[in-house]
Amino acid sequence: MRAFLQRVRRADLFIDEQSRGSIDQGLVILLGIGKDSDPDDIPWLAEKILKLRLFDLEDGSSGSVVETQGGLMVISQFTLHASTKKGTKPSYHRSAPPQEAEPIYEQFLAKLRTLFSGPLIVGTFGAHMVVHLENDGPVSLMIDSENRE
C-alpha cells in the first residue's frame, strides 16, 4: 500500500458535484492499493499516519494530527502504483484490480475509525472525485508499507 499525505489548511471533497464534506487543518490521504499489498500492513500504516509529527504546536514543538485535533480525508488512488517506465502513457499493471483493492481500502478505513476520533471524510471507491485543498507548507509525504518508509 502506498499513502500520499498532504498537510492541508482546508480540503473539500465533491462526488458527482455534490459536497461529501470538508476538513480544516489536517491530512489528505491518497491511498493506493497494489497487487502485492498485504492487508496485514493496515495497522502499521494507519498508526504511522496518525503518529507522524507534521504539525507545529504552540510551544514550538511538532505534533501529530491527533494531538492537533485535525481532520483526515481519505481518497482511493490507484494511480499511486503507476509505472511511467515506457513511453508517455502510464501503466497501471501494478495496481490491484478493484475487486481486490476495495476490500483493503474499506479495511483501512475501518482501522482508522477505531484509532481516530476526529473528523474523517472518505471518498467513494472508484468514483470520480474532485478535491479542493489548500496545502500547508507545503508538506507532502509518500509512505510505502512494503518498504516501511
Side-chain angles (χ1 to χ4, degrees), residues 47-113:
E47 290 172 17
K48 182 71 154 181
I49 290 168
L50 294 176
K51 291 178 181 177
L52 282 172
R53 305 177 70 72
L54 300 174
F55 298 89
D56 297 328
L57 299 176
E58 289 181 15
D59 66 3
S61 64
S62 57
S64 68
V65 69
V66 174
E67 293 170 294
T68 58
Q69 298 178 349
L72 298 176
M73 182 177 289
V74 183
I75 310 292
S76 62
Q77 186 77 37
F78 75 94
T79 61
L80 290 179
H81 287 276
S83 172
T84 58
K85 187 174 181 177
K86 294 182 181 179
T88 57
K89 182 180 178 189
S91 168
Y92 302 107
H93 69 278
R94 291 189 215 152
S95 299
Q99 65 273 17
E100 293 174 21
E102 186 172 11
I104 296 172
Y105 173 73
E106 293 298 333
Q107 290 171 40
F108 178 78
L109 294 176
K111 185 62 176 179
L112 275 183
R113 287 182 180 110

Side-chain angles (χ1 to χ4, degrees), residues 119-139:
L120 177 61
I121 305 299
V122 299
T124 299
F125 187 89
H128 182 268
M129 294 171 269
V130 174
V131 180
H132 292 222
L133 62 89
E134 184 180 350
N135 249 320
D136 184 14
V139 172

